[in-house]
Amino acid sequence: MHRIGEEATLAGAVLTVDLSAIAANYRFLAARAGTAACAAVVKADAYGLGADRVAPALRAAGCRQFFVAQVNEGVALRAILGPGPGIAVLNGATPGSEAACHAHGLVPVLNDRGQAEAWRALARRLGEALPGILQADTGMARFGFAPTDLTALLDDPGGLAGIAPALLMSHLACADEPENPANARQRAVFDGLRARLPGVRASLSASSGIFLGPEFQADLVRPGAALYGIAPQAGRTNPMRPAVRLQARVMQVRTVPAGTPVGYGHTELTTRDSRLATVAIGYADGFPRSTAGGEAWLGESRMPMVGRVSMDSIVLDATDLPPDALRPGTPVDLIGPNRSVDAVAAAAGTIGYEVLTGLGHRFHRIYSGV
């Protein structure tokens, strides 16, 4: 059983991030992508796990192209990685941030005419062509040019004046569902636009799309969640290595009679004389309040959660464990060898992405590997 070290005794819970697992996941995905280059998406502070530690580990594993969502994330990542690696901003440059974007060596994703025109205006002021990534909305209605708008831009003799297209990209809406016909529809639209930009690299797939086959991999893939251990395809065996372990401390153990109401709203009553353990983790730490059927583990022993998640605590039923198994300070696993991020998400009615990115900074963090 993994023990929480003395240096973490001030915290109620400990998050261990396995950098070697993240690096191994990157290498696995890069190999799965065949001839396509493999980037890494490290937006939202590397999905909540700490871009300052995760991005250098990915660079050491061979990654040379990174994606973030916002310009400020890109500025912070450039300070971490230094010159050299490419950094692209998925949301594009916010109005007025174009000069800062260029100054920090960031390449914006151009999602509409307004962003393209602002980037062209900066290029005119600087007297040089600036790299930009063109994003097409092929069927998600989120970011990107509508196909007709991108076609009009390409037909306009001055539409790309001052812009050196570095990549044509789009994003699949249903890639985690391999049989969904939307994937083929989006690829057909993307392939048609790709034919308008010969010689420009293309990128369609993020984590899940890599597993749809070579025809979806294009020239560059952009995995994010799979790097951090989240299953890339629903209902299939997860090939990724788990990258996080979340342990929280037992703060109190008590015995209560059958019929005792537990937690806010008295949503559950004990069905037998029970030994309950109150554990120092709650929704203020990013552990979802919506969790139903949650559990924690001590080694190979399962303890179901009882009652609602509070701001700073949950209650576990430890009745079936030996009486001396738990005491104040004992760490139990919320995410670990017997409970994946995806399982925690399923119990909360959400997805692993939300669980990871929601993990707060009240934890003591340990980085292992690499």
Side-chain angles (χ1 to χ4, degrees):
M1 182 179 66
H2 180 71
R3 296 185 181 280
I4 296 177
E6 291 183 3
E7 73 280 2
T9 55
L10 300 182
V14 172
L15 180 68
T16 301
V17 180
D18 187 345
L19 296 175
S20 62
I22 294 172
N25 287 339
Y26 174 81
R27 291 190 291 267
F28 173 82
L29 293 165
R32 187 69 183 249
T35 59
C38 189
V41 179
V42 293
K43 62 184 180 179
D45 198 26
Y47 285 56
L49 301 185
D52 60 331
R53 303 297 296 270
V54 169
L58 288 167
R59 181 180 57 189
C63 185
R64 296 295 177 266
Q65 175 66 56
F66 295 83
F67 284 82
V68 295
Q70 300 174 0
V71 173
N72 60 350
E73 292 179 328
V75 171
L77 185 62
R78 179 60 72 200
I80 292 165
L81 294 177
I87 301 174
V89 182
L90 291 165
N91 291 10
T94 49
S97 72
E98 293 84 8
C101 192
H102 173 66
H104 291 277
L106 312 179
V107 178
V109 173
L110 306 175
N111 292 297
D112 57 30
R113 276 270 189 176
Q115 288 187 339
E117 289 170 0
W119 200 236
R120 285 206 324 261
L122 178 62
R124 285 196 301 271
R125 292 198 300 272
L126 296 174
E128 61 180 286
L130 300 179
I133 295 171
L134 299 173
Q135 176 153 220
D137 171 21
T138 57
M140 194 170 179
R142 191 178 65 170
F143 280 115
F145 285 87
T148 53
D149 291 339
L150 183 56
T151 298
L153 180 75
L154 298 177
D155 288 341
D156 180 351
L160 292 179
I163 297 175
L167 189 71
L168 171 69
M169 65 171 283
S170 190
H171 194 75
L172 296 167
C174 305
D176 60 337
E177 303 170 12
E179 308 306 320
N180 195 312
N183 295 317
R185 288 197 298 268
Q186 284 194 254
R187 182 170 60 84
V189 174
F190 186 71
D191 287 345
L193 294 169
R194 188 179 177 185
R196 294 293 311 275
L197 288 163
V200 175
R201 292 198 308 162
S203 177
L204 179 60
S205 291
S207 292
S208 299
I210 294 171
F211 295 84
L212 295 179
E215 64 271 27
F216 285 87
Q217 292 167 357
D219 302 305
L220 177 79
V221 294
R222 317 179 307 272
L227 293 170
Y228 312 111
I230 292 175
Q233 292 186 308
R236 301 196 177 191
T237 300
N238 186 1
M240 313 314 301
R241 284 177 52 177
V244 299
R245 185 172 192 173
L246 178 59
Q247 295 176 292
R249 295 179 185 280
V250 173
M251 299 303 293
Q252 182 181 12
V253 181
R254 62 187 306 185
T255 300
V256 300
T260 298
V262 181
Y264 283 115
H266 288 178
T267 56
E268 285 193 62
L269 304 178
T270 58
T271 58
R272 56 181 175 171
D273 293 348
S274 301
R275 191 165 58 258
L276 303 181
T278 303
V279 177
I281 191 169
Y283 58 78
D285 303 290
F287 193 77
R289 185 178 182 274
S290 56
T291 299
E295 61 188 41
W297 291 75
L298 181 70
E300 296 301 312
S301 298
R302 176 183 177 273
M303 294 170 286
M305 199 180 82
V306 188
R308 288 177 173 166
V309 176
S310 297
M311 181 181 287
D312 310 298
S313 63
I314 61 173
V315 176
L316 303 174
D317 184 347
T319 310
D320 293 331
L321 273 64
D324 59 350
L326 296 179
R327 59 178 57 87
T330 300
V332 298
D333 281 316
L334 281 304
I335 300 172
N338 294 298
R339 185 76 164 170
S340 69
V341 173
D342 291 303
V344 172
T350 184
I351 57 175
Y353 298 61
E354 185 174 5
V355 171
L356 274 191
T357 57
L359 294 176
H361 290 279
R362 197 156 61 163
F363 305 128
H364 175 78
R365 294 190 174 214
I366 296 172
Y367 290 89
S368 65
V370 183

